[in-house]
Amino acid sequence: MKAWSKKLGAVMLAGSLMIGGMALGGVIQGPEKAYAAEDVQRNVVSVIGKGELSLKPDVVYLSIGVNATAASAEEAQKIIGGKISKISALLKTTWGIADKDIQSTQFIVQPNYTYNEKEGQQIKGYIAQHSLKVTYRDLNKVGQLLDAASAAGANNIGNTQFAIEDPSALEAQVIEKAMANADAKAGVIAKAAKRSLGQVIAVTQSDDGNNPVVYMENAAMAKSSADAAGGTYVEPGEVRVSTQLSVMYELK
């Protein structure tokens, strides 16, 4: 019986050691995972890749409007109403612009206040404003169109924005350029660190919700002058389509 008891005790002790070993293994396992995660972080490189295309625009957005002042709100509204109707008819009939490409973007009728110490604040008539956003695609005739609108009564011509009407068609091209740019940057960093570049771990496109981004030239930036006949000349120039990628690579 004593021998059996000792044997059982030995077995029980061995079992205890085995369980202790498992517990010890569990304790060690956590730090091993933590070190592995830190090791991964030490073996990556993150870069920003930029892709951009510069090309001729294919559409222009024009702001054409009328401002008027009158003694009453009704009179001011009537003045700009007549002129805007005339301008709209001109754009549609003479210039062949579709209804969908002419949109009212601003309509305001408000008092015109003056102030002096004797009378205080007084209403001295009313100011009315009505603006149209016009989409036009014959960029060789932009200056002529603006001259015709002015002759028809437009006296508030705002920024002229040149753009690519469908930039989504260029998205694949700018993404490829951005990725190539990221590859080149990461490759230089890896070489400088005496390492080699591994696979891509993660890619994020950052365009503030607009992919890709189109930077439009406006009237102030565009070159405009008068031609020999005294008309307006507007140079479309180029617009830029761009995107940006945040890329993380493995370092070997």
Side-chain angles (χ1 to χ4, degrees), residues 1 42 48 55 69 71 79 88 90 92 100 102 118 122 141 143 146 151 156 165-167 184 190 249:
M1 289 294 292
R42 288 197 300 266
I48 301 296
L55 60 165
T69 58
I79 291 171
S88 295
L90 173 75
K92 294 174 185 179
K100 67 181 180 65
I102 302 174
K118 182 178 179 180
Q122 299 288 324
K141 296 181 179 179
L146 294 177
N156 182 13
E165 190 164 18
D166 183 16
Y249 299 83

Side-chain angles (χ1 to χ4, degrees), residues 49 55 58 66 70 96 100 104 108 146-147 166 185 189 202 215 218:
L55 60 165
D58 58 14
V66 176
K100 67 181 180 65
S104 290
I108 299 173
L146 294 177
D147 288 340
D166 183 16
K185 287 181 179 179
I189 293 172
Y215 298 91
N218 58 41

Side-chain angles (χ1 to χ4, degrees), residues 87-129:
I87 293 167
S88 295
L90 173 75
L91 296 175
K92 294 174 185 179
T93 57
T94 304
W95 293 88
I97 300 175
D99 290 348
K100 67 181 180 65
D101 290 329
I102 302 174
Q103 178 185 10
S104 290
T105 56
Q106 184 183 56
F107 181 83
I108 299 173
V109 180
Q110 60 188 12
N112 181 21
Y113 291 102
T114 61
Y115 177 84
N116 60 58
E117 292 184 1
K118 182 178 179 180
E119 299 179 335
Q121 183 171 279
Q122 299 288 324
I123 295 177
K124 298 294 184 180
Y126 288 81
I127 300 172
Q129 301 176 351

Side-chain angles (χ1 to χ4, degrees), residues 42-45 186 189-190 193 195-198 201 249-252:
R42 288 197 300 266
N43 287 282
V44 299
V45 59
I189 293 172
R195 306 286 290 274
S196 61
L197 207 59
I201 297 173
Y249 299 83
E250 176 191 8
L251 277 181
K252 296 181 179 178

Side-chain angles (χ1 to χ4, degrees), residues 9-23:
V11 172
M12 291 177 66
L13 178 60
S16 175
L17 288 172
M18 193 185 330
I19 293 169
M22 290 175 64

Side-chain angles (χ1 to χ4, degrees), residues 167-172 174-175 205 207 210-214 241-243:
S168 62
L170 304 168
E171 184 172 12
V174 293
I175 288 175
Q205 186 178 26
D207 285 325
N210 186 358
N211 304 319
V213 176
V214 179
V241 182
S242 69
T243 195

Side-chain angles (χ1 to χ4, degrees), residues 41 44-47 199-204 246-250:
Q41 291 300 317
V44 299
V45 59
S46 297
V47 298
Q199 65 181 356
V200 173
I201 297 173
V203 181
T204 304
S246 300
V247 189
M248 180 183 291
Y249 299 83
E250 176 191 8

